[in-house]
Each structure stands twice: as C-alpha cells, then as structure tokens.
Amino acid sequence: MPEVEHLDVVIVGAGLSGIGAAYYLRRSHPHRRYAILEARGASGGTWDIFRYPGVRSDSDLHTFGYDFRPWREERSIAEGPAILRYLRETAAEHGIDRAVRYHHRVVAASWSSPDARWRLEVQRADTGERTALTCTWLFCAGGYYRYDEGFTPHFEGRERFRGPVVHPQAWPEDLDHAGKRVVVIGSGATAVTMLPAMARTAAHVTMLQRTPTYVLSVSSRDTLAARLRPLIGERRAHATVRRLNIARQRAVWRFCRRYPRAARRFIRWTNVRQLPRGYPVDEHFNPPYDPWDERLCFVPDGDLFRAIRAGTASVATGRIATFTETGVLLESGQELPADIIVTATGLNVRGLGGVALSVDGAPVRLPDTVAYKGVMLSGVPNLAYAIGYTNSSWTLKVGLLCEYFCRLLSHMDERGYDVCRPEPADPGMPTRPLLDLDAGYVQRAIGELPRQGDREPWRTSMSYQADVKLLRRGAIADPELHLSSSRATVAA
C-alpha cells in the first residue's frame, strides 16, 4: 500500500476564514505541518465566486477585514475585486498561498480512535482522481452555504420567458445588460446591491420583492480612519477604528432588538428622507417583522435610493403569478416587462461543506450534534469549524475562534494530550437552531445543521464582547471538554 501523507492540521477552504485560520496557526504553531484544501481552482471563496454587478461587502472592512492586517483602501464598504485583492495579498504576504492545494475537494472524513487521526477522502476536481490524507486536526473553514449552486424556487411559466434567467451565484461573464429592462427577484443584500449597479447602464431595473426588507444608508468611506492614519500610523489607526466600529455595530443591533418600535420608526424616517415625495414607503420599505429578525441591508451612500429618485430603478412588492414571454405577471395583475430576469432568491445552506463525517465507523448526523463554544461539535474529536456572526462582521467571530483553536492546541501540547472531544454533561439539555435568524435560507436548512444548547459552553454567542471573554480570555480546561492522550496515560 502506498504511504499516505500525514499532516498536523488540514484546513478546508481557501477563502476569508481559511486564510485567517492559516495565519493564526502559523503565528502560534509554526512547527505544525498544515495544508489548505480548496475545491476550486482559485482562492478567495465568496469573493472569487460572486461576479455579479456591484458585488460588495455590507460590513465595513475595518471589521470585516483581519485584525492583523489593516485595510488600506479609501472605501471601507468595498467592492468585491478590492476584497479579493486584499485576501490574496494577505495570503502572499504570510506565505499562506504556498500551502493551498487547489482542485482538492474533501468528500469524506473518518476518525479513528485507535490511530487518533482523521482519514480524508479527497477528490481532484480537475481530474476526478481520488486520494487520501490523514491529519490530527480537521478545520472546516468553508462557511455554511453551497458554492456550486444558489437557491431558486419554482416559478410558474419560467420556460416561457424569452430572455435569460440568471442567478447571481452563477453570473455569466458575457451577459450584457446595457440598455435592457431587468427584473431582479429578491429583497436581500444581493438584490439591493445589484439594483443601483445595473441601473447605471440598464434601461430600467425593477427589484421585485415578496416582502420588504429594512434598508439603511451608510457612508462608504470612513473619514476617521483617513484622518488618523497620518497622525498615529496605519496599524494604530486600524485598531482604533476597528474598536469603534465593533462598538457601533453592537449598539445598532442592541437598539433594534431592545426597542424595535423606535428602530422601525427611525429606519422609516431615514427612508422617507431619501425617497421621492409621496413615495409609498410603507408598501415597499416597511417589513412585517422587527429589525434584525432578519439581517438589515446596508446601502453605501444611499445608492439604492438615489437610483429610485433618478427614475432608473423601482421597487415592486407582490407575489408572482407566472413568468410570461416578456416579463413577470404578479397576482395583482401588474406585469413587469423584462429582457433579463435575475433570481436573487438566496443561498443553499450546507453544513461543513457537505463533508461526510464518521467517527469509528459511525456516521455523524449534524442535527444530532451540539455546537461547543461555536467552534467544535459534541462527540466529534479533533474537529473545528468557522462560522462567523450573522448580526455583525463575519470575520470578528472567525478571528476569535481561530485564537481559541490555537490556545487549545497549546494547552494540549503542554499536557501531552492529542485528542479533544466535547461532550455535554447533560444529555437531555434543551437545544435550539444553530443560527438564530428567520431568513428563508436559514429556515430551509434548520434540519440539516448542528444545534446549540441553552447554556454555556453550548450556546453559540452572537456577541463579540461575550466571545472575547469566552474564546480569547476564558479558561481552556472545562469538564465538558474531554482531553486525552492516544499514547501513554498522562497526569492531569
């Protein structure tokens, strides 16, 4: 039998989370052998996949970027190409790009307790060849949605429409929308991003939504960061602005959750100020749910509202009856003419990148597991995963859990342990969904994802301040985190 390569850590995914995980691992454990397995032929994850018009972040890059590498661009609400450039420059600067193995898709991972290691079944995406690797730790950094397809519901009469129907996750490079009538179906971050971007050259763009979304205008530039850089230096300015923006994000979220009526009134007031006089704000921008029951949509410099005021874009609210040869017919009888239809209807969620897990021959069902500190899964040894915040910048959480992962490795090294398995002390502990959002993409996948508990350390926190205490400063030793050695018995 050919010898199987063994690594200390295998990171799955070369996107925002995977590059971050590699940085922290190299910094704290430079002696450990690791590799990043990336199913696609390029790094960058989300920011390389999405190529639709106007693709950008909806968080500022001082918090969405890494804490260890300042964001240097003028615009802090940045477009996709700038974010992708930042990620690849970060990887190259720290030698992480040399650890990426492209076209390597992890199909299955099986844990062997006698060997105290994972055996990975890896398929070459370019050739179809199957190979194997073993590793002591598996770190899943691919987020929680499918990269190969987005979600598109069934639309009656779709085959009748004469023009192209495209999903933003599979944007054709040769699609020209200049001078065309476009209908964008959806009301989330992707739709509110595409509408003003396409309206610059399209004949007209209509955002068709079934239910309104809360939309807030934010500045695309951080003037404080620009002022501080020449005064206190780039790194100190980045750290200062990052702390302020973390506090601002948390304050907005807490205000919305604690005072939903006041938050609703404030958001409506800002919308009225930016829309044409007499515009039906309540019909198109007043959702039936409270702020942050679903994610808020942030639009840089009010570009969505500017496009509506200019008459190059509009919003329609209603249910689709059928596609027609020349557009979309609503149940109200209104017909929206279109040359192109974009289905910005969301994502398909898939836990741990769809890797089939097993422990000592027994398959692991993710819904039967409980998340430990938002980093590991009950009953699954030596596995960590990266899922960021849903109510603030994704990377804030990822940075903290990577720090915790490295602290855990150091703790185990000092005591001679090489196996780590979280187990709840109370098997009957009540659980709830891992992601606390009412968004459709989350609700569709609740039955396929791990759960979280009703107490620490089994709650998945969505508070940066709470996670600083838990993940950065909290003790590693925990009676519900079982550490052991596969070699000789060690003293506690």
Side-chain angles (χ1 to χ4, degrees):
M1 294 290 292
E3 185 176 348
V4 175
E5 181 185 9
H6 178 75
L7 296 165
D8 295 313
V9 181
V10 167
I11 299 169
V12 181
L16 184 71
S17 301
I19 292 170
Y23 168 83
Y24 287 101
L25 183 65
R26 284 171 56 90
R27 185 185 70 178
S28 301
H29 298 274
H31 63 284
R32 276 189 159 85
R33 294 169 299 161
Y34 82 100
I36 304 175
L37 304 188
E38 170 56 53
R40 303 175 63 254
S43 63
T46 297
W47 302 104
D48 181 66
I49 292 172
F50 287 119
R51 306 292 180 89
Y52 60 81
V55 58
R56 57 166 173 79
S57 68
D58 60 355
S59 300
D60 71 278
L61 264 294
H62 298 289
T63 57
F64 190 69
Y66 303 116
D67 66 344
F68 58 84
R69 189 171 192 270
W71 175 254
R72 300 181 174 97
E73 302 272 347
E74 180 183 359
R75 295 172 64 93
S76 60
I77 303 294
E79 294 186 347
I83 300 172
L84 182 60
R85 184 168 58 249
Y86 170 81
L87 294 180
R88 290 178 174 169
E89 288 174 354
T90 302
E93 185 177 308
H94 296 283
I96 295 167
D97 55 343
R98 297 192 296 271
V100 182
R101 303 182 186 183
Y102 295 107
H103 302 294
H104 282 60
R105 182 187 303 279
V106 181
V107 178
S110 55
W111 171 263
S112 166
S113 291
D115 298 328
R117 59 180 55 181
W118 288 98
R119 182 180 178 89
L120 309 183
E121 183 181 343
V122 181
Q123 182 176 28
R124 288 293 303 259
D126 51 351
T127 65
E129 176 191 3
R130 296 229 172 183
T131 59
L133 279 174
T134 63
C135 61
T136 307
W137 273 90
L138 180 61
F139 192 107
C140 296
Y144 57 66
Y145 73 87
R146 293 188 61 158
Y147 284 93
D148 57 343
E149 65 175 24
F151 173 72
T152 302
H154 170 74
F155 292 113
E156 190 68 31
R158 174 172 174 163
E159 70 284 352
R160 297 165 56 197
F161 180 64
R162 296 172 183 168
V165 179
V166 298
H167 192 284
Q169 197 167 326
W171 195 262
E173 291 185 9
D174 58 351
L175 182 63
D176 182 11
H177 62 273
K180 304 289 180 64
R181 299 166 300 175
V182 182
V183 170
V184 179
I185 302 174
S187 60
T190 301
V192 302
T193 297
M194 296 184 72
L195 184 138
M198 299 186 78
R200 294 175 196 143
T201 57
H204 189 84
V205 183
T206 302
M207 184 173 79
L208 170 57
Q209 58 186 11
R210 186 172 58 184
T211 307
T213 297
Y214 290 105
V215 181
L216 268 175
S217 177
V218 295
S219 175
S220 65
R221 292 170 172 80
D222 197 311
T223 55
L224 179 61
R227 291 173 182 171
L228 287 179
R229 286 190 192 108
L231 296 176
I232 62 175
E234 187 176 69
R235 290 195 174 275
R236 291 178 65 187
H238 176 72
T240 300
V241 173
R242 183 180 174 88
R243 285 194 297 271
L244 289 173
N245 288 358
I246 289 171
R248 184 183 298 120
Q249 289 178 8
R250 185 63 180 171
V252 169
W253 183 82
R254 291 185 68 179
F255 174 75
C256 289
R257 301 309 289 168
R258 186 171 296 180
Y259 307 107
R261 292 183 180 179
R264 179 192 291 267
R265 288 195 299 268
F266 173 77
I267 295 171
R268 185 184 185 281
W269 174 74
T270 63
N271 293 167
V272 169
R273 291 184 62 199
Q274 296 177 86
L275 289 165
R277 184 181 296 275
Y279 188 87
V281 176
D282 289 327
E283 179 182 355
H284 301 311
F285 289 97
N286 193 7
Y289 52 85
D290 288 335
W292 276 115
D293 283 352
E294 297 186 20
R295 284 185 66 95
L296 269 64
C297 286
F298 298 97
V299 293
D301 306 319
D303 58 3
L304 173 75
F305 302 114
R306 285 191 282 110
I308 293 173
R309 288 199 309 269
T312 56
S314 59
V315 178
T317 303
R319 292 179 174 271
I320 296 173
T322 183
F323 282 21
T324 67
E325 290 84 354
T326 57
V328 178
L329 178 66
L330 305 184
E331 291 181 356
S332 64
Q334 179 184 6
E335 184 166 4
L336 305 176
D339 303 303
I340 300 170
I341 295 176
V342 180
T343 56
T345 45
L347 311 169
N348 280 322
V349 172
R350 182 166 62 179
L352 303 188
V355 178
L357 299 177
S358 63
V359 174
D360 294 329
V364 175
R365 289 189 69 254
L366 293 183
D368 295 337
T369 65
V370 186
Y372 177 83
K373 294 186 178 181
V375 184
M376 292 178 281
L377 299 177
S378 62
V380 183
N382 290 27
L383 179 140
Y385 64 90
I387 291 182
Y389 293 122
T390 58
N391 61 354
S392 59
S393 294
W394 174 275
T395 326
L396 294 177
K397 176 89 171 186
V398 171
L400 289 175
L401 63 87
C402 288
E403 289 181 31
Y404 173 84
F405 174 65
C406 292
R407 290 178 59 223
L408 173 62
L409 294 183
S410 297
H411 178 89
M412 295 175 68
D413 287 347
E414 292 166 2
R415 291 156 179 80
Y417 297 126
D418 61 351
V419 178
C420 168
R421 184 196 301 253
E423 291 286 358
D426 176 11
M429 174 180 60
T431 63
R432 64 176 191 264
L434 181 68
L435 301 175
D436 190 18
L437 277 180
D438 291 336
Y441 70 94
V442 173
Q443 297 303 310
R444 289 193 300 271
I446 278 180
E448 303 172 19
L449 296 177
R451 308 281 291 177
Q452 63 170 307
D454 66 345
R455 69 201 72 164
E456 289 189 354
W458 302 100
R459 274 200 301 258
T460 298
S461 167
M462 285 295 156
S463 165
Y464 178 78
Q465 288 76 12
D467 278 335
V468 166
K469 296 178 182 178
L470 180 70
L471 299 175
R472 178 179 289 167
R473 301 173 185 162
I476 296 295
D478 182 343
E480 295 183 276
L481 185 66
H482 300 276
L483 305 177
S484 60
S485 171
S486 62
R487 301 179 293 271
T489 303
V490 297

